[in-house]
Coordinates of all heavy atoms in Angstrom, one line a residue:
R1 N -89.9 154.5 78.1 CA -91.2 154.6 77.6 C -92.1 155.5 78.3 O -93.2 155.9 77.7 CB -91.7 153.1 77.4 CG -91.2 152.3 76.4 CD -91.9 151.0 76.1 NE -91.9 150.0 77.2 CZ -91.0 149.2 77.4 NH1 -90.0 149.0 76.6 NH2 -91.0 148.4 78.5
S2 N -91.8 156.0 79.6 CA -92.8 156.7 80.1 C -92.6 158.1 79.7 O -91.7 158.7 79.2 CB -92.4 156.6 81.8 OG -91.3 157.6 82.1
E3 N -93.9 158.8 79.8 CA -93.9 160.1 79.4 C -93.0 161.1 80.0 O -92.5 162.1 79.6 CB -95.4 160.7 79.4 CG -96.3 160.0 78.4 CD -97.7 160.5 78.5 OE1 -98.0 161.5 78.9 OE2 -98.6 159.8 78.2
Q4 N -92.8 160.8 81.4 CA -91.9 161.7 82.3 C -90.6 161.9 81.6 O -89.9 163.0 81.7 CB -91.8 161.1 83.6 CG -90.8 161.8 84.6 CD -90.5 161.1 85.9 OE1 -91.2 160.0 86.1 NE2 -89.7 161.6 86.7
W5 N -90.0 160.8 81.0 CA -88.6 160.9 80.7 C -88.5 161.3 79.1 O -87.5 161.6 78.7 CB -87.9 159.5 80.7 CG -87.5 159.3 82.2 CD1 -88.3 158.8 83.2 CD2 -86.3 159.8 82.8 NE1 -87.8 158.9 84.4 CE2 -86.5 159.4 84.3 CE3 -85.2 160.4 82.4 CZ2 -85.5 159.6 85.0 CZ3 -84.1 160.7 83.3 CH2 -84.3 160.3 84.7
A6 N -89.6 161.3 78.4 CA -89.7 161.5 77.0 C -89.0 162.7 76.5 O -88.1 162.9 75.6 CB -91.0 161.3 76.2
P7 N -89.3 163.9 77.2 CA -88.8 165.3 76.7 C -87.2 165.3 77.0 O -86.5 165.7 76.2 CB -89.5 166.2 77.5 CG -90.7 165.6 78.0 CD -90.4 164.1 78.2
A8 N -86.8 164.7 78.1 CA -85.4 164.8 78.4 C -84.5 163.9 77.4 O -83.6 164.3 77.0 CB -85.1 164.3 79.9
R9 N -85.2 162.8 77.1 CA -84.6 161.9 76.1 C -84.5 162.6 74.8 O -83.5 162.5 74.1 CB -85.3 160.6 75.9 CG -84.5 159.6 75.0 CD -85.2 158.4 74.9 NE -84.3 157.4 74.1 CZ -84.5 156.3 73.7 NH1 -85.7 155.9 74.0 NH2 -83.7 155.6 73.0
S10 N -85.4 163.3 74.3 CA -85.5 163.9 72.9 C -84.4 164.9 73.1 O -83.8 165.2 71.9 CB -86.9 164.3 72.5 OG -87.2 165.4 73.4
R11 N -84.3 165.7 74.1 CA -83.2 166.8 74.1 C -81.9 166.1 74.1 O -80.9 166.5 73.5 CB -83.4 167.6 75.3 CG -84.4 168.6 75.3 CD -84.4 169.6 76.4 NE -84.4 169.0 77.7 CZ -85.5 168.7 78.4 NH1 -86.7 168.9 77.7 NH2 -85.5 168.2 79.5
A12 N -81.7 165.1 74.9 CA -80.4 164.4 75.0 C -79.8 163.9 73.8 O -78.7 163.8 73.4 CB -80.3 163.4 76.2
Y13 N -80.8 163.4 73.0 CA -80.3 162.6 71.8 C -80.7 163.3 70.5 O -80.5 162.9 69.4 CB -81.2 161.3 71.7 CG -80.6 160.4 72.7 CD1 -81.1 160.2 74.0 CD2 -79.4 159.6 72.6 CE1 -80.8 159.3 74.9 CE2 -78.9 158.7 73.5 CZ -79.6 158.5 74.7 OH -79.0 157.8 75.6
H14 N -81.0 164.6 70.7 CA -81.1 165.5 69.6 C -79.8 165.7 68.8 O -78.7 165.9 69.5 CB -81.8 166.9 69.9 CG -82.1 167.7 68.8 ND1 -81.2 168.4 68.1 CD2 -83.3 167.9 68.1 CE1 -81.9 169.2 67.2 NE2 -83.1 168.7 67.0
P15 N -79.8 165.8 67.5 CA -78.5 166.0 66.8 C -77.7 167.2 67.2 O -76.5 167.2 67.1 CB -78.9 165.9 65.3 CG -80.3 165.4 65.2 CD -80.9 165.6 66.4
A16 N -78.4 168.2 67.7 CA -77.8 169.4 68.1 C -77.2 169.3 69.4 O -76.6 170.3 69.9 CB -78.6 170.6 67.9
A17 N -77.5 168.3 70.2 CA -77.1 168.2 71.6 C -75.5 168.1 71.7 O -74.9 167.4 70.9 CB -77.8 167.1 72.3
R18 N -75.1 168.6 72.8 CA -73.7 168.3 73.1 C -73.4 166.9 73.5 O -74.4 166.2 73.9 CB -73.3 169.3 74.3 CG -73.3 170.7 73.9 CD -72.7 171.6 75.0 NE -73.4 171.5 76.2 CZ -74.4 172.3 76.6 NH1 -74.8 173.3 76.0 NH2 -75.0 172.0 77.8
Q19 N -72.2 166.6 73.3 CA -71.8 165.1 73.4 C -72.1 164.5 74.8 O -72.6 163.4 75.0 CB -70.3 165.0 73.2 CG -69.9 163.5 73.1 CD -68.5 163.5 72.7 OE1 -67.7 164.4 72.7 NE2 -68.0 162.3 72.3
G20 N -72.0 165.4 75.9 CA -72.2 164.9 77.2 C -73.6 164.7 77.7 O -74.0 164.2 78.7
E21 N -74.6 165.4 76.8 CA -76.0 165.4 77.2 C -76.6 164.0 77.4 O -77.3 163.6 78.3 CB -76.9 166.1 76.3 CG -76.5 167.7 76.7 CD -77.4 168.5 75.9 OE1 -78.6 168.4 75.8 OE2 -76.8 169.5 75.3
A22 N -76.2 163.0 76.4 CA -76.8 161.7 76.3 C -76.2 161.0 77.6 O -76.9 160.2 78.1 CB -76.3 161.0 75.1
A23 N -75.0 161.1 77.8 CA -74.3 160.4 79.0 C -75.0 161.0 80.3 O -75.3 160.1 81.2 CB -72.8 160.8 79.1
R24 N -75.3 162.1 80.5 CA -75.8 162.8 81.6 C -77.3 162.3 81.7 O -77.8 161.9 82.8 CB -75.8 164.3 81.6 CG -75.4 165.0 82.7 CD -75.3 166.4 82.6 NE -75.6 167.2 81.4 CZ -74.6 167.6 80.6 NH1 -73.4 167.2 80.7 NH2 -75.0 168.2 79.4
F25 N -78.0 162.1 80.6 CA -79.3 161.6 80.7 C -79.3 160.2 81.1 O -80.2 159.8 82.0 CB -79.9 161.6 79.3 CG -81.4 160.9 79.1 CD1 -82.5 161.5 79.6 CD2 -81.2 159.5 78.6 CE1 -83.6 160.9 79.4 CE2 -82.6 159.0 78.5 CZ -83.7 159.6 78.8
E26 N -78.4 159.4 80.7 CA -78.3 157.9 81.0 C -78.0 157.9 82.6 O -78.6 157.1 83.4 CB -77.3 157.1 80.4 CG -77.7 156.9 78.9 CD -78.9 155.9 78.7 OE1 -79.2 155.2 79.6 OE2 -79.4 156.0 77.6
F27 N -77.1 158.7 83.1 CA -76.7 158.7 84.4 C -77.8 159.1 85.3 O -78.2 158.4 86.3 CB -75.5 159.7 84.6 CG -75.1 159.9 86.1 CD1 -74.3 158.9 86.6 CD2 -75.6 160.9 86.9 CE1 -74.0 159.1 88.1 CE2 -75.3 160.9 88.3 CZ -74.4 159.9 88.8
D28 N -78.6 160.1 84.9 CA -79.7 160.5 85.7 C -80.9 159.5 85.7 O -81.5 159.2 86.8 CB -80.4 161.9 85.2 CG -79.5 163.0 85.4 OD1 -78.6 162.9 86.2 OD2 -79.8 164.1 84.8
L29 N -81.1 158.7 84.7 CA -82.0 157.7 84.5 C -81.7 156.6 85.5 O -82.6 156.1 86.3 CB -82.0 157.2 83.0 CG -83.2 156.2 82.7 CD1 -84.5 156.9 82.6 CD2 -82.8 155.6 81.4
L30 N -80.4 156.1 85.4 CA -80.0 154.9 86.2 C -79.9 155.3 87.7 O -80.2 154.6 88.6 CB -78.7 154.4 85.7 CG -78.8 153.7 84.3 CD1 -77.4 153.5 83.7 CD2 -79.7 152.5 84.3
R31 N -79.4 156.5 88.0 CA -79.4 157.1 89.4 C -80.8 157.0 90.0 O -81.0 156.6 91.1 CB -78.9 158.4 89.3 CG -78.8 159.1 90.7 CD -78.1 160.5 90.6 NE -78.5 161.3 91.7 CZ -79.5 162.1 91.9 NH1 -80.3 162.3 90.8 NH2 -79.8 162.7 92.9
G32 N -81.8 157.4 89.3 CA -83.3 157.3 89.7 C -83.6 156.0 90.0 O -84.3 155.8 91.1

């Protein structure tokens, strides 16, 4: 919900995103 992660999430879950981008986003989020 934070503004810091909003742009990265929209890129990771965009229909044109590559398959691994959502997984990388989740990994980065949880790693933080």
Side-chain angles (χ1 to χ4, degrees):
R1 285 191 292 273
S2 77
E3 290 180 28
Q4 173 191 357
W5 285 90
R9 181 177 189 185
S10 65
R11 281 193 305 278
Y13 290 97
H14 188 276
R18 290 188 302 267
Q19 189 174 12
E21 288 185 46
R24 231 179 349 267
F25 172 80
E26 289 294 342
F27 178 82
D28 288 346
L29 185 77
L30 292 170
R31 182 176 154 269

